[in-house]
Amino acid sequence: MEKLLNRLEGDRIIWGVMITLSMFSILIVYSATGSLAYMQAGGDNEHYLLRHSTLVIVGIIGAYVCHKIDYIYYSRLSRYALLLSIPLLLFTWFFGSEINSASRWIEIPFINFTFQPSDLARLALIANMASMLWKRQRDIGEFNKAIVPLLVWTGIICGLIGVSDISTASLLFLTIMLQLFIGRVPVKYLFMLIAIGCLAALFVYQFGQRGGTAVSRLSSFMSETEIPYQAEQSYIAISTGGISGKGIGESTQRNFLPHSYSDFVFAIVVEEYGLIGALVIIGLYITLLYRGMAIVATSQKAFGGLLAAGLTFSLILQAFVHMGVVTGLLPLTGLPLPLVSMGGTSLLFTGMTIGIILSVSKSTQEDSEEIRLKRTERSKKRKGYDGINRPKNVRMN
């Protein structure tokens, strides 16, 4: 175990948060998939337990592999991934597997596994945006040279994701806005990006698959009398959780709440673990945000800081939007809770996201140690000491 821990580089607190949430995820998903196992796995509760546990391990392995790669390489890799994501998103739009009236997945033959290209596109856009901002810092005020590529890539990727997944596209758009703000893009160009976002929203509403659903959900959210079925069952789960919850595996609303293992998993957390459990989960995400911003503040290179900021924001915003939906503060979406909800490629790409953040942290620590050693060496030279801590200019009798 000690040898394994020594191999984990970067911020140890982030490692701890990821592993804690991942282990907790196995417990909560096992509890929440009882009805799903009855309907689709012949009542075999262990089916989804083993499947989800395997995917959790895959996500952790993805984090480990990504944190071993120098984050500078992600500058070039992100461009290739971004170029690849465009045909994948187009293929998904026209030929993808349709679930809940939306084509968001590509089914991989022979292995019975589905891949969601929006996960790749989101990670690629954030990383590539950090790279473009880094390379254009000296010309950040020049519209054609620096700003236009940022606006074009954001509009294309968010638009293609939005035709089948408006909530993910909206969250990605907000993340990019924050990333551009940190990257010193003038505010007038941020308003221009908002205008492009409005045009993309019109395109999505006109040609997308979920425009009508989004309008219906917003209407239900604004209504004082109409409560959607999912929201009602979520409120019941939260209200019956109390301070300490009903206990592990004692949820009753998992049998009535749709997607209780993914889109509404936080409601099951509150029901089984109560307010105390909810605060612990919220505290872990806040810790992740704090440590991510600490990496941003100490990064020696602009690319590392912008990359860590964008990826940290993407995880934390998704987590708090999920919790806002479950508690009724936001309209219904289909966003899972990062590291906790059951998923396929989402767990892998979440692990990769944290791995890249840890790669920045590892390099930042190495740079800080190198700077500290150089300062110590310069200090010794100024004081005129040799290797045995004795003044060089003193003659020995």
Side-chain angles (χ1 to χ4, degrees), residues 341-353:
S341 294
M342 186 177 79
T345 54
S346 64
L347 288 171
L348 172 60
F349 281 99
T350 299
M352 292 172 63
T353 298

Side-chain angles (χ1 to χ4, degrees), residues 309-355:
L311 296 177
T312 301
F313 284 143
S314 70
L315 291 175
I316 301 305
L317 285 173
Q318 181 175 332
F320 281 95
V321 167
H322 174 99
M323 289 184 274
V325 169
V326 167
T327 55
L329 298 176
L330 295 172
L332 295 178
T333 66
L335 293 172
L337 187 61
L339 297 170
V340 176
S341 294
M342 186 177 79
T345 54
S346 64
L347 288 171
L348 172 60
F349 281 99
T350 299
M352 292 172 63
T353 298
I354 294 179

Side-chain angles (χ1 to χ4, degrees), residues 91-371:
F91 181 86
T92 305
W93 182 13
F94 293 107
F95 307 108
S97 300
E98 186 171 316
I99 300 176
N100 296 327
S101 303
S103 300
R104 300 179 184 175
W105 293 267
I106 295 177
E107 187 171 349
I108 302 175
F110 307 116
I111 62 175
N112 193 26
F113 189 76
T114 55
F115 166 66
Q116 195 165 354
S118 61
D119 290 328
L120 172 64
R122 178 171 58 176
L123 178 58
L125 180 62
I126 293 172
N128 194 62
M129 197 63 59
S131 176
M132 289 192 290
L133 283 169
W134 169 45
K135 295 174 181 177
R136 291 166 172 80
Q137 279 299 295
R138 293 183 179 180
D139 308 309
I140 200 65
E142 297 185 18
F143 180 73
N144 291 330
K145 184 176 181 180
I147 304 302
V148 169
L150 305 176
L151 301 181
V152 169
W153 276 113
T154 302
I156 291 174
I157 298 300
C158 289
L160 289 176
I161 293 176
V163 293
S164 59
D165 192 348
I166 294 176
S167 54
T168 297
S170 301
L171 193 67
L172 177 59
F173 185 82
L174 179 58
T175 301
I176 296 300
M177 286 283 293
L178 292 170
Q179 197 175 22
L180 294 180
F181 180 76
I182 293 176
R184 302 190 307 113
V185 171
V187 175
K188 61 181 179 180
Y189 296 136
L190 295 181
F191 282 109
M192 190 175 294
L193 179 61
I194 293 174
I196 292 175
C198 292
L199 292 176
L202 290 175
F203 170 80
V204 167
Y205 178 75
Q206 185 68 29
F207 301 102
Q209 303 168 336
R210 304 288 285 176
T213 302
V215 172
S216 175
R217 287 178 173 178
L218 286 173
S219 177
S220 300
F221 179 72
M222 299 300 294
S223 174
E224 296 181 357
T225 57
E226 181 183 0
I227 301 178
Y229 177 78
Q230 302 101 308
E232 182 181 16
Q233 298 303 317
S234 177
Y235 301 159
I236 293 173
I238 292 173
S239 63
T240 56
I243 300 297
S244 57
K246 295 179 179 179
I248 300 175
E250 297 299 324
S251 169
T252 55
Q253 289 306 114
R254 63 188 175 189
N255 300 317
F256 306 99
L257 178 60
H259 303 290
S260 60
Y261 44 84
S262 57
D263 298 351
F264 289 89
V265 73
F266 188 69
I268 305 302
V269 171
V270 179
E271 184 183 11
E272 293 192 354
Y273 298 88
L275 178 63
I276 296 175
L279 291 176
V280 170
I281 297 298
I282 293 172
L284 289 172
Y285 284 114
I286 292 176
T287 301
L288 179 59
L289 173 62
Y290 174 77
R291 299 305 300 177
M293 292 302 99
I295 295 170
V296 174
T298 56
S299 177
Q300 303 297 319
K301 297 182 178 66
F303 175 56
L306 291 166
L307 181 61
L311 296 177
T312 301
F313 284 143
S314 70
L315 291 175
I316 301 305
L317 285 173
Q318 181 175 332
F320 281 95
V321 167
H322 174 99
M323 289 184 274
V325 169
V326 167
T327 55
L329 298 176
L330 295 172
L332 295 178
T333 66
L335 293 172
L337 187 61
L339 297 170
V340 176
S341 294
M342 186 177 79
T345 54
S346 64
L347 288 171
L348 172 60
F349 281 99
T350 299
M352 292 172 63
T353 298
I354 294 179
I356 296 173
I357 296 172
L358 288 166
S359 176
V360 178
S361 171
K362 179 185 69 171
S363 295
T364 299
Q365 291 175 356
E366 292 172 352
D367 291 342
S368 299
E369 180 64 18
E370 183 178 350
I371 291 172

Side-chain angles (χ1 to χ4, degrees), residues 62-84:
Y64 179 81
V65 172
C66 287
H67 104 288
K68 285 292 185 180
I69 301 173
D70 191 329
Y71 74 89
I72 293 295
Y73 289 106
Y74 293 115
S75 174
R76 179 174 296 181
L77 290 174
S78 64
R79 174 56 61 92
Y80 298 144
L82 200 58
L83 294 172
L84 176 63

